[in-house]
Amino acid sequence: MNKKTVFLLQATKEQNEELAKMFENSKDYEVCGMAVDGISAIFMIEDKKPDVLITELVIAGYDGLSVIAKVKALNLNTKIVVLSSLISEEIISKCSASGADYYLAKPVNFDLLIERLDSFGESSPLTAKEVSESIHKMTLEEKVSRIFINVGIPPHIKGYSFLREGVIMAVNNPEIINNITKKLYPLIGEKYQTSASKVERAIRHAIEVAWNRGRIESINSILGVRAYIGAEKPTNGEFIALVADKMLLEKM
């Protein structure tokens, strides 16, 4: 049986390659092309006629919504999945109106992505309301991961996992934020079989990576407050507390 073809359109080459690796062992799907800008993507999609397009919304050239509309105008029967870190019911509604068949929030759950690809043709695409409801049901871990990716903390560094664990602990036990050195760091270290001092340094590095990438406006936007200006950086405890507070407010 021939594999179905997938075209990847994400903001960076690295993001495309990360997705492509997920498809390497798939028995039903194969990546037929990749692009990082909407203009190039349209020409390539018209030539390759993929079964599925997986696109971001914020990309160079044509933005994601324009790409969706232009691909639909080609009448290729290409199913379109939006995979993006931009999440709101308004955005999801715009994607649906432009012709997208499904919307997935980053970080990607590959099993869910494949499940939706398999279901195309067998069931109707989810409505904007249904997708929005599924996002609200995301686990705490998924929500924290999405925030870290949006602010520029890469998943491959050790501090990412330590920081995520720290936020989850602070959400479940807010008092722990008042005793980071003697309780939080040792508990994280115990879970990951490392020392408290290494946990502290790794978390500090993760926060510095985000600030060095110049993502302060994104950080302020996500946290809902203008917490930081210029080169100012939060302490480990301040950052964990801010993200934990956001999670607690969303649960209310």
Side-chain angles (χ1 to χ4, degrees), residues 28 183 187:
D28 298 315
K183 286 189 177 180
L187 284 172

Side-chain angles (χ1 to χ4, degrees), residues 157-159 200-210 212 236:
I157 63 175
K158 287 183 179 179
E200 180 179 11
R201 287 197 299 271
I203 289 177
R204 167 53 34 191
H205 172 66
I207 294 172
E208 288 176 347
V209 168
N212 291 339
N236 291 2

Side-chain angles (χ1 to χ4, degrees), residues 139-160:
T139 66
L140 175 59
E141 184 173 314
E142 289 172 327
K143 288 180 179 179
V144 175
S145 296
R146 177 161 54 85
I147 286 177
F148 289 171
I149 289 173
N150 288 347
V151 302
I153 300 175
H156 67 271
I157 63 175
K158 287 183 179 179
Y160 177 96

Side-chain angles (χ1 to χ4, degrees), residues 109-250:
N109 181 323
F110 190 66
D111 290 337
L112 178 58
L113 173 60
I114 293 298
E115 181 181 318
R116 290 310 300 168
L117 296 186
D118 289 342
S119 71
F120 285 148
E122 299 173 7
S123 60
S124 300
L126 292 187
T127 65
K129 181 179 179 181
E130 289 171 328
V131 175
S132 181
E133 288 174 350
S134 71
I135 289 168
H136 289 312
K137 293 177 182 176
M138 290 170 66
T139 66
L140 175 59
E141 184 173 314
E142 289 172 327
K143 288 180 179 179
V144 175
S145 296
R146 177 161 54 85
I147 286 177
F148 289 171
I149 289 173
N150 288 347
V151 302
I153 300 175
H156 67 271
I157 63 175
K158 287 183 179 179
Y160 177 96
S161 297
F162 297 165
L163 193 53
R164 181 176 62 188
E165 190 65 29
V167 170
I168 292 171
M169 286 181 178
V171 170
N172 294 327
N173 178 19
E175 291 298 320
I176 202 170
I177 203 70
N178 298 319
N179 207 343
I180 286 183
T181 303
K182 292 185 178 180
K183 286 189 177 180
L184 189 97
Y185 294 153
L187 284 172
I188 296 172
E190 183 179 338
K191 178 172 181 177
Y192 289 94
Q193 298 182 326
T194 188
S195 67
S197 60
K198 287 182 178 179
V199 169
E200 180 179 11
R201 287 197 299 271
I203 289 177
R204 167 53 34 191
H205 172 66
I207 294 172
E208 288 176 347
V209 168
W211 256 253
N212 291 339
R213 288 184 172 187
R215 303 291 289 277
I216 296 172
E217 287 306 316
S218 293
I219 291 164
N220 288 334
S221 174
I222 288 166
L223 295 178
V225 294
R226 190 167 182 78
Y228 302 101
I229 301 172
E232 182 187 6
K233 298 175 189 173
T235 65
N236 291 2
E238 287 172 345
F239 188 76
I240 290 170
L242 279 168
V243 179
D245 283 347
K246 178 177 175 59
M247 296 295 97
L248 287 167
L249 286 171
E250 288 183 355

Side-chain angles (χ1 to χ4, degrees), residues 27 37 53 70 78 87 132 147 195 221 233:
K27 66 181 187 300
D37 73 275
L53 163 65
K70 290 179 182 296
T78 297
I87 301 173
S132 181
I147 286 177
S195 67
S221 174
K233 298 175 189 173

